[in-house]
Amino acid sequence: MLVWGGDAAGGAPFVEADPANPSRVRGFDVEVAERIARGLGRRSARFVQVQWSSIDQSVERGDFEIGLSGVEDTPTRRARHAVTLPYFEFREVLAVRPADRDRIRSLADLRGRRVATLGATIAYDMLLAARDSTGLLPVSYDDDVHPYTDLMSGRVDAVLLDHIIAQRALRRLGGTAFVILAHEVATGHYVGVLARADSVLRDSVDAVLREAMRDGSLEQILRRWNVWDESQGVLFERVLRGGVATQPAGPPVAERVIAYLPSLARAAGVTLAVSVLSMALAVIVGLALASARVYGAAWLRVVAAIYVEVVRGTPLLLQLFVIYYGLSGVVRLPAFLAAVLALGLNYAAYEAEIYRGALQAVARAQLEAARTLGFSEMQILRLIRGPQALRYALAPMTNDFVALLKDSALVSVITVVELTKQTAIFATNVGSWVIPGLLCAIAYLAMSLPLARLARRLERHWGGGVHPA
């Protein structure tokens, strides 16, 4: 049995769950895998689900023999893995709103505008290069659905992706939802990727693909999925003549690491900014909720308790989607602001419980004594209850900030390129998680350890000056 890996989340025509039987997959890459299995004399082809950006790492781990799922032919991939000959040619195309079809012709016309694409793709690398030369603003997504919906809603000004993905999105959203510009930005090829040590198997797969091109079976597969065009016939002829130039090897890993350091530094800055602003919001809202639950009227205590339980009982990821996408019909929030609001409002529920517990931890005898002496509730809070509650709350507040710093990685799902997202893109481009993961861990430690040390110093300083009566 030929075990192959792909990402069914990519959908048709690549790989998707069969509507008639969701336990099975279908798509032109599925049929290509089956054709390869038959050509190798294998009994059948078995699919293994893997995230698209992790296909290279999984094939090297031995999770499957070959990765097929719109895998792009890149210099880095050829340098680190055994890559098959190209079996499909795609075109990078720009999609714009109908009102912009006469104003935008190429990337050069997008100066200062937001252009969306999938992260860790050839298109994303092109946008990064164009950022310096044309001044456009690349926006990275984890899927190929939201770039086009955000184009329609005005969050981005253009989308750069493979023509297959663009045409599929246009059919799904309606033929007039956006316009695909006729001029192609670049061309690329889909290939199969095998472990570097499997070059012998790769050569056998190449022989099967050549035979599939020669006997017409590969063309039949592509026609069944409506992705055949004249460029595929030209590609097949070049392959059979041996005239397809493979991508040259990319620069050494050390050079790529150095080149990525500025991007990682910028992403770390985004992570820190999102975390600090979110924590500030969480503290403010958390104090308000805790005050409502301790000092408020009965109805106010009920409202605050419901908020806390609902927010703590639902996933942060869901809240991010609701605030960014769900509310877009009412208010179209920028991704950064939506990230700060979602994280801040989520952690406010946890902060509220910390503050409420800290306020209730102050000895009741002290409060009664203060009231006997004629102190108002505000004076009691400011002079007696508040300082002691702060001491009790400081350690869990610090833990919450460190947790929030790490949870900020989730905001990448709404197009905010923070440290973890940039690291994932980096790891995909260099074909390994070792160096990118180490750099990412160092960056997180550099941000969290000083905070923990500062909190301990504050605990020692304030803790020594507050004594129970």
Side-chain angles (χ1 to χ4, degrees), residues 259-273:
Y260 258 97
L261 288 179
S263 296
L264 290 175
R266 284 193 296 269
V270 172
T271 292
L272 192 59

Side-chain angles (χ1 to χ4, degrees), residues 204-402:
S204 298
V205 172
D206 282 352
V208 173
L209 289 174
R210 285 193 182 91
E211 180 59 28
M213 293 177 185
R214 191 176 293 112
D215 65 18
S217 57
L218 184 53
E219 178 180 344
Q220 292 172 11
I221 292 172
L222 300 180
R223 285 188 182 278
R224 272 196 296 273
W225 288 96
N226 297 318
V227 294
W228 175 267
D229 54 42
E230 61 180 17
S231 65
Q232 310 313 319
V234 175
L235 171 67
F236 288 7
E237 291 178 7
R238 294 206 318 268
V239 169
L240 294 176
R241 292 198 309 265
V244 175
T246 60
Q247 292 282 349
V253 173
E255 289 185 20
R256 293 201 293 273
V257 170
I258 294 172
Y260 258 97
L261 288 179
S263 296
L264 290 175
R266 284 193 296 269
V270 172
T271 292
L272 192 59
V274 168
S275 301
V276 170
L277 293 174
S278 299
M279 192 63 189
L281 177 62
V283 169
I284 294 170
V285 177
L287 284 172
L289 291 169
S291 299
R293 298 196 69 180
V294 174
Y295 295 106
W299 69 269
L300 193 56
R301 291 198 299 270
V302 171
V303 170
I306 291 174
Y307 176 90
V308 169
E309 295 307 322
V310 169
V311 170
R312 293 197 306 173
T314 54
L316 172 57
L317 191 60
L318 174 63
Q319 295 162 22
L320 278 164
F321 278 124
V322 168
I323 290 177
Y324 187 68
Y325 293 112
L327 299 181
S328 61
V330 180
V331 56
R332 193 181 303 160
L333 296 173
F336 185 88
L337 177 58
V340 170
L341 285 175
L343 283 171
L345 295 177
N346 177 272
Y347 270 81
Y350 298 94
E351 292 301 298
E353 291 301 279
I354 291 173
Y355 304 150
R356 183 175 69 90
L359 288 170
Q360 293 177 339
V362 178
R364 185 175 297 274
Q366 296 184 48
L367 307 181
E368 294 300 331
R371 294 187 184 104
T372 301
L373 293 173
F375 283 50
S376 67
E377 289 299 322
M378 183 58 67
Q379 288 176 316
I380 293 173
L381 178 62
R382 182 169 59 87
L383 300 174
I384 299 172
R385 201 173 199 179
Q388 294 185 68
L390 176 62
R391 182 187 64 181
Y392 299 144
L394 189 58
M397 280 177 63
T398 304
N399 290 337
D400 267 3
F401 184 77
V402 174

